[in-house]
Amino acid sequence: MTDIESRIDTSRPHTARIWNYWTGGKDNYPVDREAGDRIRELHPGIGEYAKADRLFLGRAVRHLAGQEGIRQFLDIGTGLPSADNTHEVAQRVAPDARVVYVDNDPLVLAHARALLVGTPEGRTDYLDADLRDVDTILAAAAKTLDLSQPVALMLLGVVIFVEDDEESYGVVRRLMDALAPGSHLVLSHTVTHPDMPDVDAAVAFWNEHGTPKLTQRTPGAITRYFDGLELLEPGVVSCSAWRPRTPAPDVAMYAGVGRKG
């Protein structure tokens, strides 16, 4: 058994693998599918969040690469590779785009090195690190990215794993402070909302049975991650409502894109 294989726990459901299951992937185990089905019983629409979040990623990256001229992406909390990963979207627009992925899930690591292959003109890399390891991430990312030039910091569905509010805001601030003017923050986060009480029940079930634990925040608390940045229109909204090609129902995953001046 390799070191990576020894780190994979198939006895408990894991959020990355359930996300993969909900989006039609095959990199999951029976325990993940059972938990995913149970969560969908509590909140039938929750599987759509994963799909809506992935579509938001595509729209945000296409905008940044196409309209904002961003050629560097730091994607932390990558999750299991699937269709239209950040480098695929970015490099279709700009073949010379560079992407560094960061995750600390062993199953993600096992797949990422084989699947995250970019264009000859661009470059992709993968770091095995935790979101909280800011100095480690920045030092390693600087081997692939030029941090003196604008970077898009991608934090999709990852700060939900930092329970302490001040710690989570501090991590995001430290990362953005290290990036050049013109950089962008792309962030999505599970929301708690009085209009969506079944989401709270689904998250409570997950936190009792799964790993890692999730933290919900209000739309206002999510907007705070963009303090000091210029929020792009339409602001922090349901990720399905961020510049969609066609109207789609709101989901309890809110998102925004902000520019560093």
Side-chain angles (χ1 to χ4, degrees):
M1 179 180 290
T2 67
D3 176 62
I4 294 175
E5 290 172 333
S6 68
R7 290 167 54 192
I8 299 174
D9 182 1
T10 61
S11 65
R12 296 188 67 190
H14 192 283
T15 182
R17 301 193 305 252
I18 290 180
W19 211 252
N20 176 263
Y21 171 53
W22 282 337
T23 54
K26 299 180 180 179
D27 298 314
N28 48 74
Y29 296 94
V31 66
D32 306 307
R33 296 189 285 274
E34 291 170 8
D37 289 341
R38 176 61 179 139
I39 291 171
R40 274 199 289 216
E41 289 175 7
L42 293 168
H43 182 51
I46 203 165
E48 297 303 312
Y49 299 178
K51 298 174 184 177
D53 197 44
R54 176 60 53 163
L55 291 172
F56 163 70
L57 180 152
R59 295 193 301 273
V61 171
R62 279 192 295 271
H63 172 79
L64 293 177
Q67 304 301 315
E68 304 289 345
I70 299 296
R71 295 295 180 266
Q72 304 187 108
F73 296 81
L74 178 57
D75 187 335
I76 304 177
T78 304
L80 286 160
S82 61
D84 284 342
N85 300 290
T86 297
H87 74 281
E88 294 171 316
V89 178
Q91 291 174 354
R92 278 200 292 268
V93 178
D96 61 338
R98 295 188 170 202
V99 180
V100 172
Y101 292 100
V102 183
D103 208 300
N104 68 341
D105 182 273
L107 190 60
V108 177
L109 175 61
H111 287 275
R113 287 174 176 160
L115 295 179
L116 301 180
V117 179
T119 61
E121 303 94 326
R123 185 174 172 185
T124 61
D125 200 0
Y126 183 89
L127 308 177
D128 181 17
D130 185 273
L131 169 65
R132 299 172 181 85
D133 298 333
V134 173
D135 293 338
T136 298
I137 290 172
L138 292 171
K143 298 176 183 179
T144 300
L145 308 178
D146 179 358
L147 300 187
S148 70
Q149 298 298 314
V151 174
L153 174 63
M154 313 286 295
L155 297 175
L156 274 67
V158 63
V159 292
I160 61 177
F161 301 124
V162 183
E163 181 178 5
D164 183 80
D165 287 343
E166 294 310 313
E167 182 182 13
S168 71
Y169 294 129
V171 165
V172 175
R173 280 195 298 271
R174 287 175 62 199
L175 286 164
M176 288 304 299
D177 284 348
L179 302 181
S183 294
H184 288 70
L185 171 64
V186 182
L187 183 144
S188 67
H189 195 300
T190 303
V191 70
T192 181
H193 196 288
D195 293 339
M196 302 175 178
D198 46 350
V199 177
D200 297 345
V203 170
F205 173 84
W206 171 258
N207 285 342
E208 182 179 354
H209 299 281
T211 183
K213 307 299 184 194
L214 310 182
T215 299
Q216 295 169 276
R217 292 183 171 94
T218 65
I222 297 168
T223 301
R224 185 179 163 191
Y225 288 106
F226 295 92
D227 282 357
L229 305 178
E230 177 192 351
L231 261 175
L232 275 60
E233 292 294 335
V236 174
V237 294
S238 168
C239 62
S240 59
W242 198 90
R243 304 189 181 189
R245 292 181 175 177
T246 57
D250 283 357
V251 297
M253 177 73 72
Y254 273 44
V257 179
R259 180 190 294 110
K260 180 177 179 178

